[in-house]
Amino acid sequence: LCLEARDPYCGWDFRQRKCTTLEESSNMSQWKQNITICPLRNQTFDGGFGPWTSWHPCNNDDPLDGVSSCLCRSRSCDSPAPRCGGKNCEGPTIEVSNCS
């Protein structure tokens, strides 16, 4: 997706295996950008949370209270995933409830 964005400030760093600016790149010879056509502007996307999974049984290991049975659910930062320098999601990725 990074290479397809054709953002003039965005490229793929093969050594770091992530989308970076040229300044963030570890080595210019390891950085690639698709420049075969004019760049598309504003292709940076901040991450967004996807939906919560269903509640499922899990354990919570508390140093004071020991292990307790709980219900847990999670969500991922993939709707959309951050792209080309976009911000990661902020907030919890796991919720725990009904611990006994």
Side-chain angles (χ1 to χ4, degrees):
L1 292 175
C2 179
L3 290 174
E4 295 304 316
R6 295 180 299 278
D7 184 314
Y9 304 106
C10 177
W12 185 257
D13 187 308
F14 288 97
R15 182 170 296 208
Q16 295 183 52
R17 297 179 131 174
K18 69 177 187 174
C19 185
T20 68
T21 63
L22 183 57
E23 292 80 20
E24 295 171 333
S25 178
S26 59
N27 183 332
M28 188 172 171
S29 67
Q30 297 290 314
W31 191 78
K32 181 174 171 132
Q33 184 180 49
N34 184 350
I35 55 171
T36 58
I37 59 177
C38 291
L40 299 173
R41 301 275 182 199
N42 300 324
Q43 294 298 303
T44 298
F45 289 101
D46 292 340
F49 281 116
W52 288 100
T53 62
S54 299
W55 289 101
H56 62 278
C58 61
N59 292 326
N60 183 40
D61 190 2
D62 187 298
L64 298 176
D65 297 330
V67 177
S68 58
S69 296
C70 306
L71 291 175
C72 297
R73 66 180 184 169
S74 61
R75 61 182 178 172
S76 299
C77 186
D78 60 0
S79 294
R83 189 166 89 179
C84 291
K87 296 178 185 176
N88 285 322
C89 297
E90 292 184 16
T93 57
I94 297 173
E95 283 190 341
V96 179
S97 180
N98 295 343
C99 295
S100 59

